[in-house]
Amino acid sequence: MSDTGFFSRLKNGLGKTRNGLIGGIKRIFSTNDTASLEMFEALEESLISADVGVETTLQIVEDMRKRVKAEGIEDASRLYEILKEEMTALLTQSEAGCDWRCEGEPHVMLVAGVNGSGKTTTAGKIAYTLAKEKRAVVLGAADTFRAAAGEQLAIWAERAGAQLVRHQEGADPGAVAYDTVDAGIARKADNVIIDTAGRLHTKVNLMEELKKVHRVIGKRQPGAPHEVLLVLDATTGQNGLQQARQFTQALHVNGIVLTKLDGTAKGGMVIAIHNQLGIPIKLIGVGEGVEDLQPFNARDFVAALFD
Amino acid sequence: MFENLAKRLESVFKNIRGQGRLTEANMREALQQIRNALLEADVNIQVVKKFIADVQEAALGQEVLASIHPGQQIVKIVHDELVKLMGEKNAPLARASKPPTIIMMVGLQGQGKTTSAGKLAVHLKKAGHKSLLVGADVYRPAAIKQLEIVAQQAGAEMFSLGEHADPVETCLMARGEASLRGCDTVILDTAGRLHVDEDMMLEARQIAEQLNPHEILFVANAMTGQDAVNSARQFNAALPLTGVILTQMDGDARGGAAISLIEVTGCPIKFVGVGERLEALEPFHPERMAGQILGMGDIVSLVEKAQQVVDQEKAVQFQKKMRKGDWDLEDFLDHMRQLKKMGNMSDLLQKIPGINKMLPQGMDMAEDDLKHTEAIILSMTLKERRNPNLINGGRRRRIADGSGTSVQDVNALLKEFQKMKLMMKQAMKGGKGKKHGRIPRGPMPPLPGF
């Protein structure tokens, strides 16, 4: 996938104003010369405002305090560099490849998440990007519940030039998934992408249904799905961790797509998710255009978080 | 850390309860805990700061009274402040003095605007209103198609000039269309947009200026974090918002965004979305929400819902039959469907005080059982349902095959049914003239143990 920096896209701004962001973390360190109590309090507030969460925030701030004490750091700008480096290092482990190839068989991807997080759009954009690399892509519309979800994916399939497997509304999503993998194998596709219905992670029945979809895929093609992506909305607060936890328990999620980062939300909850669950963030969504789904870059993400 | 806000506050209060009186020191710890709990519940940090200051002020003023039960006192203070913050009473939808009433749905992408538009139509239909749903989202692929299907499910009219038309134009045309089709309500389903997208915000403003809606409802998801204040503030600055619909309240998000949204927009929350079905929309009750946050349950909503959904006449009929002991599987099926209409079992149970959010994982399974039971009964002929004694071995096999269950399942159901019938009959008989062991005369006979 292409990797033009999303940070510059964000800054240059798509004709959007970003005046909701006065008083970012960077500013705290530039208005304070030395490390002070007020500075730490402001840092704590800013991290919480970015949805990093109370626990993770307190941990970060406590670590910084300890370093200040142990290393005798006084200079605030030096402290800022340290914080930035540490958080970048922490999240760099989260950078992971998005090559999505399998030798001799289709690479199968399953896209899941709660309602409205942007699954169908993400599946469509990934299909588009892969198809542009001259790969043969089969999309599966396993969201048979939401009205017109199939139509929405069909439009994406057409844009991407991908094949689409679709059943009637209300059909068994497992059957759609099976047929999609089947079609992928028969047509010697490079990539198979299966879009699922949005569901709250607390609905036991729906999570069971998702597990079944996963199993059915594996039945048709042993070893598949190779990638299970959880789509998270960047405006989500602390519930994001619960979502990640429950979906991972059901599906062994191995990558996160953080969407809607083009607003004023910072998506700080992925830090806790990465910290506690170790799931890498693979892609971020920074706009509605096809080119606005980009590989995750820790440095850019932290820069945007602090800006 | 991620325990329920209610539980967290409970433990705070327990700590205080153990001590004789409210001192500044134990207040500080409690307030710190309340602060963290509210932050974990995604209430915006600036809002939390203000809230804590209010609570502190209120609490310190009362301290002079040297209360005997400081724990209860602070529960009351926190509860009252939460209610105060969320608006004191449930706010109804505005109606135009001269129809049509125009309702405009706005919000970020993926909040549930289209679904909520359908839910509103269903809600208004119950009050005798006929809605025209207007598809003005020309950006998201198939959004208009989705609204079309939703309108059909909601039993509402639908209008759109299609995805190549100007959304403002579509909305303008809708007014005339409404009177043509005899609709007294117009619900504009606009595209999801970012508050920082100037062009899109301008479009929304144009729609609002041209149509002058009676309600502009900001649709936001209960899982929203700290950023709720940023988006809400800008939407509120661009458009004269009149209310909020909080969606996805059926998950496990603590919904602190509710407090942030009210604080920033100054608008009441008019409805909450509590499920995927179009009936799953409830009025917002600040008292109840505050109670829920503090772990007091929400029995009032449950009772209201039961009254709304259950066909009273049928329920009375069923009770009569049950009393006589001459009810059959057909009645039973009917009864079960009434129960099902009341919604997801776990949703229901969550409203019962004490059970609140502590449900075992197996709860949704009970729903599966209901589905199986329904399938089995539906696989019987009417004759068999009227007279279960007819069902011999051969019929049992056929019913099992037809419903995708096993003969054992069919047997179990029949046995359970007989047992229940007997039990009910005895209970009803025993009830005559005696207070003891009587089945209450409510609209809902109890659900047997399936």
Side-chain angles (χ1 to χ4, degrees):
Chain A
M1 304 191 86
S2 69
D3 62 354
T4 41
F6 87 94
F7 188 53
S8 56
R9 268 195 83 85
L10 275 187
K11 281 198 111 169
N12 298 335
L14 307 157
K16 294 164 189 165
T17 53
R18 304 182 52 79
N19 50 14
L21 293 180
I22 315 147
I25 292 171
K26 201 168 162 186
R27 200 183 146 100
I28 297 167
F29 288 94
S30 60
T31 49
N32 286 279
D33 292 337
T34 54
S36 64
L37 187 67
E38 291 77 35
M39 198 198 79
F40 281 117
E41 269 174 13
L43 176 63
E44 185 183 320
E45 245 181 57
S46 290
L47 287 169
I48 286 172
S49 297
D51 286 318
V52 172
V54 177
E55 195 183 67
T56 311
T57 294
L58 292 180
Q59 209 178 314
I60 290 170
V61 173
E62 190 50 37
D63 285 353
M64 294 300 291
R65 276 186 209 270
K66 274 189 190 146
R67 277 194 78 160
V68 167
K69 224 175 183 178
E71 296 167 30
I73 305 165
E74 281 184 3
D75 184 17
S77 61
R78 167 98 188 90
L79 207 58
Y80 175 69
E81 288 309 315
I82 291 172
L83 179 64
K84 204 167 157 181
E85 282 316 306
E86 290 213 334
M87 287 188 67
T88 305
L90 178 85
L91 285 169
T92 301
Q93 305 155 13
S94 192
E95 288 177 14
C98 301
D99 194 36
W100 296 323
R101 278 174 209 279
C102 272
E103 211 42 64
E105 56 177 8
H107 177 284
V108 180
M109 176 188 286
L110 186 64
V111 183
V114 301
N115 317 58
S117 53
K119 286 171 300 300
T120 306
T121 307
T122 299
K125 284 181 181 175
I126 293 175
Y128 186 93
T129 313
L130 294 175
K132 220 170 56 182
E133 294 172 12
K134 303 257 179 281
R135 298 205 214 175
V137 181
V138 177
L139 274 168
D143 180 355
T144 56
F145 179 79
R146 179 165 62 89
E151 273 89 348
Q152 188 180 346
L153 197 67
I155 293 168
W156 274 108
E158 203 184 302
R159 283 182 192 168
Q163 309 234 30
L164 177 75
V165 174
R166 200 180 141 192
H167 290 189
Q168 276 176 341
E169 212 172 289
D172 174 23
V176 179
Y178 188 94
D179 287 354
T180 310
V181 178
D182 202 49
I185 293 170
R187 296 170 197 172
K188 296 195 167 43
D190 299 301
N191 290 80
V192 167
I193 303 168
I194 297 165
D195 179 32
T196 63
R199 66 201 73 220
L200 285 176
H201 50 290
T202 50
K203 307 270 172 182
V204 179
N205 278 348
L206 297 178
M207 293 307 277
E208 286 298 323
E209 178 191 276
L210 200 55
K211 281 190 211 167
K212 186 183 151 199
V213 170
H214 192 279
R215 276 198 306 274
V216 163
I217 292 170
K219 257 188 198 148
R220 183 60 191 95
Q221 186 180 339
H226 310 92
E227 183 89 357
V228 178
L229 291 180
L230 174 67
V231 181
L232 272 179
D233 182 333
T235 60
T236 307
Q238 298 314 298
N239 194 247
L241 187 61
Q242 294 289 64
Q243 290 175 25
R245 193 173 277 142
Q246 299 292 335
F247 273 98
T248 302
Q249 252 173 32
L251 289 183
H252 307 289
V253 171
N254 46 14
I256 283 181
V257 180
L258 191 61
T259 60
K260 308 185 200 176
L261 265 174
D262 47 336
T264 44
K266 304 281 197 172
M269 84 292 189
V270 294
I271 294 171
I273 292 173
H274 175 79
N275 234 359
Q276 295 191 24
L277 304 173
I279 309 169
I281 306 140
K282 297 216 162 160
L283 297 169
I284 53 160
V286 292
E288 291 187 320
V290 173
E291 70 283 2
D292 294 327
L293 187 69
Q294 310 222 336
F296 174 77
N297 176 292
R299 191 161 294 278
D300 287 348
F301 182 78
V302 172
L305 189 74
F306 284 5
D307 189 40
Chain B
M1 156 185 184
F2 283 97
E3 67 215 324
N4 196 289
L5 172 61
K7 260 200 257 172
R8 165 65 69 93
L9 289 179
E10 218 168 83
S11 76
V12 172
F13 300 140
K14 223 177 269 164
N15 286 344
I16 298 179
R17 224 168 258 145
Q19 299 173 19
R21 47 183 299 165
L22 221 64
T23 68
E24 217 172 291
N26 61 26
M27 271 284 288
R28 193 179 305 126
E29 199 230 342
L31 289 176
Q32 182 68 25
Q33 295 235 28
I34 292 169
R35 169 188 179 267
N36 286 354
L38 290 172
L39 288 173
E40 278 163 21
D42 289 323
V43 184
N44 180 270
I45 187 157
Q46 303 306 330
V47 178
V48 170
K49 277 167 121 180
K50 192 168 161 262
F51 179 75
I52 294 294
D54 288 350
V55 169
Q56 189 164 23
E57 200 182 320
L60 283 178
Q62 290 187 18
E63 202 189 7
V64 194
L65 300 171
S67 99
I68 311 157
H69 303 290
Q72 280 169 1
Q73 192 181 348
I74 203 160
V75 171
K76 175 109 178 57
I77 294 165
V78 173
H79 178 270
D80 288 354
E81 290 295 324
L82 275 177
V83 172
K84 210 165 95 187
L85 229 159
M86 289 190 287
E88 313 257 344
K89 64 174 197 290
N90 162 39
L93 279 178
R95 294 295 315 173
S97 48
K98 189 172 162 276
T101 300
I102 298 174
I103 302 172
M104 180 180 179
M105 315 286 282
V106 298
L108 302 171
Q109 290 94 340
Q111 305 299 300
K113 281 178 297 301
T114 307
T115 306
S116 296
K119 287 180 176 182
L120 267 186
V122 169
H123 171 82
L124 288 166
K125 200 178 167 193
K126 280 185 202 154
H129 299 293
K130 191 174 167 194
S131 302
L132 179 69
L133 292 173
V134 182
D137 180 357
V138 298
Y139 307 97
R140 180 162 60 91
I144 293 173
K145 178 79 188 159
Q146 183 186 351
L147 189 70
E148 205 179 298
I149 298 169
V150 165
Q152 206 175 18
Q153 290 168 346
E157 295 285 322
M158 193 274 180
F159 170 75
S160 179
L161 292 177
E163 49 196 52
H164 300 296
D166 174 19
V168 185
E169 188 73 28
T170 300
C171 293
L172 272 173
M173 296 276 289
R175 195 198 289 267
E177 196 67 24
S179 61
L180 258 167
R181 301 199 209 174
C183 297
D184 61 0
T185 309
V186 174
I187 303 174
L188 309 172
D189 181 34
T190 67
R193 65 199 73 221
L194 274 176
H195 50 293
V196 289
D197 189 331
E198 284 173 350
D199 294 343
M200 288 296 288
M201 290 307 281
L202 181 68
E203 180 203 279
R205 216 160 55 222
Q206 280 169 345
I207 294 174
E209 278 164 11
Q210 299 271 346
L211 278 106
N212 211 0
H214 305 91
E215 289 276 4
I216 303 180
L217 301 176
F218 184 62
V219 183
N221 166 339
M223 302 181 294
T224 308
Q226 297 285 320
D227 197 52
V229 295
N230 294 326
S231 50
R233 189 173 284 136
Q234 302 221 18
F235 266 92
N236 195 43
L239 302 161
L241 299 184
T242 59
V244 174
I245 296 184
L246 199 62
T247 60
Q248 300 192 333
M249 279 286 285
D250 49 331
D252 59 352
R254 273 150 289 165
I259 296 171
S260 309
L261 290 170
I262 291 168
E263 180 72 15
V264 168
T265 63
C267 292
I269 293 180
K270 298 213 164 173
F271 293 97
V272 292
V274 291
E276 292 186 335
R277 290 168 313 108
L278 290 180
E279 287 78 28
L281 185 77
E282 293 178 354
F284 177 76
H285 294 283
E287 282 273 354
R288 287 183 210 162
M289 177 114 181
Q292 214 167 313
I293 289 172
L294 297 172
M296 294 170 185
D298 186 18
I299 201 75
V300 193
S301 287
L302 177 66
V303 173
E304 268 186 9
K305 199 166 170 186
Q307 283 171 342
Q308 207 177 18
V309 165
V310 173
D311 186 333
Q312 294 287 342
E313 219 166 287
K314 270 190 182 166
V316 170
Q317 233 175 38
F318 184 72
Q319 283 229 325
K320 255 191 209 157
K321 279 189 164 183
M322 207 166 64
R323 221 166 293 251
K324 279 197 223 150
D326 70 346
W327 52 300
D328 53 36
L329 281 164
E330 184 73 5
D331 297 317
F332 178 62
L333 182 69
D334 222 45
H335 179 55
M336 215 173 60
R337 284 181 169 160
Q338 293 262 349
L339 273 177
K340 249 176 86 179
K341 264 204 280 182
M342 285 183 61
N344 188 296
M345 295 270 287
S346 47
D347 287 355
L348 281 181
L349 281 171
Q350 285 196 352
K351 295 199 168 118
I352 298 167
I355 300 186
N356 195 9
K357 312 263 179 201
M358 292 192 298
L359 286 176
Q361 288 262 307
M363 261 333 294
D364 279 357
M365 294 304 165
E367 199 125 336
D368 263 359
D369 285 346
L370 276 180
K371 246 186 243 162
H372 284 156
T373 306
E374 192 178 350
I376 292 172
I377 299 178
L378 284 174
S379 294
M380 297 173 184
T381 64
L382 197 60
K383 249 189 190 159
E384 286 165 345
R385 288 182 220 169
R386 293 278 182 226
N387 185 8
N389 292 331
L390 274 180
I391 305 172
N392 57 23
R395 287 178 188 249
R396 281 172 207 228
R397 243 190 321 278
R398 194 206 74 236
I399 293 164
D401 286 347
S403 56
T405 57
S406 66
V407 174
Q408 281 86 349
D409 290 333
V410 178
N411 285 341
L413 168 71
L414 289 172
K415 212 169 134 194
E416 195 72 29
F417 175 71
Q418 290 302 348
K419 222 166 73 190
M420 203 170 72
K421 207 168 145 177
L422 197 74
M423 210 176 68
M424 292 291 175
K425 208 172 156 185
Q426 277 169 353
M428 291 297 177
K429 268 188 190 152
K432 272 188 190 147
K434 282 187 228 162
K435 272 185 188 160
H436 192 69
R438 179 154 186 189
I439 306 275
R441 238 177 204 273
M444 304 282 311
L447 182 72
F450 276 111

